[in-house]
Amino acid sequence: GIAACLSGVCYAELACRMPAAGSSYVYVYASMGELPAVLVAACLSLEYVVSGSAVARSWGDKIIEWLNMSIDIDFDLSSHFSWNFNPLATLVSAASVALLMSGVKESKSVTNFFTVTKVIVVGLMAIGGLILMLPRQNLVPFIPPQYGVAGIFRGATSSFFGYIGFDEVCCVAGEALDPQRNMPLAIVISLATVTGL
């Protein structure tokens, strides 16, 4: 979390100095030139592909798990293939692309809906966790033996996905009103919100 927060503060500084749409690509292009900027763009594309596929796979697995629990039928289609393939992840990715192609207004509405829903759910989980933490017997053992230290690192790795979005705030700098003031403010507020949750 500390590395992500420091990176976010750097993004806030650069967004204040260069309030143009494009995020990392623009910052590297202005400071180092075209070739390093192209390499950064390739790395960003790879980052979005990997994180998008991880999220789509997670959604597909959760839908299969929910269907198995609700309807009590084995919907695990990946067991029918010789390779590790999740058709529901493909459907989630295709639906996301179709939503993006339908226009900015529609995708913005859906993004706002999911963002508000996620913040409410995470807030309720945090409150529930604080309530369950009050009896001391719930804190013993502090690290559950079935997960161990490796489980803590897996959870920390998964929680890093919450910090990925602050560089996307910089991508809309060209559309912001008073970007030199509002962009750093938006980045710091998004970092504070993610860290608080």
Side-chain angles (χ1 to χ4, degrees):
I2 294 171
C5 287
L6 291 175
S7 177
V9 172
C10 291
Y11 267 91
E13 174 70 21
L14 290 170
C16 179
R17 291 181 183 263
M18 292 177 262
S23 184
S24 301
Y25 174 81
V26 170
Y27 306 148
V28 173
Y29 185 81
S31 61
M32 293 185 216
E34 189 172 353
L35 181 61
V38 169
L39 293 174
V40 165
C43 289
L44 279 173
S45 299
L46 182 62
E47 173 193 351
Y48 289 133
V49 166
V50 169
S51 62
S53 63
V55 170
R57 178 62 190 242
S58 175
W59 276 40
D61 290 344
K62 295 297 180 205
I63 291 171
I64 288 173
E65 184 179 328
W66 176 72
L67 288 172
N68 287 341
M69 287 180 7
S70 302
I71 305 175
D72 199 25
I73 298 174
D74 186 16
F75 280 96
D76 190 7
L77 300 174
S78 62
S79 62
H80 300 293
F81 298 103
S82 61
W83 62 89
N84 196 2
F85 174 69
N86 188 333
L88 290 175
T90 305
L91 290 175
V92 167
S93 298
S96 299
V97 169
L99 179 65
L100 287 171
M101 292 176 65
S102 68
V104 174
K105 184 188 259 186
E106 291 80 7
S107 61
K108 181 180 179 291
S109 299
V110 172
T111 300
N112 288 343
F113 169 76
F114 279 114
T115 300
V116 169
T117 303
K118 285 189 292 187
V119 168
I120 289 171
V121 167
V122 169
L124 290 174
M125 288 173 58
I127 292 169
L130 288 174
I131 291 170
L132 291 175
M133 189 178 81
L134 294 179
R136 291 219 177 249
Q137 68 267 21
N138 288 335
L139 295 177
V140 176
F142 189 69
I143 299 175
Q146 66 265 29
Y147 300 114
V149 177
I152 292 173
F153 283 117
R154 274 197 308 275
T157 303
S158 298
S159 68
F160 189 77
F161 276 109
Y163 288 97
I164 289 178
F166 66 79
D167 68 338
E168 292 181 28
V169 173
C170 298
C171 291
V172 294
E175 299 179 27
L177 301 172
D178 191 13
Q180 288 186 322
R181 181 182 86 74
N182 291 334
M183 291 306 297
L185 189 62
I187 292 169
V188 170
I189 288 172
S190 68
L191 281 173
T193 303
V194 168
T195 303
L197 290 174

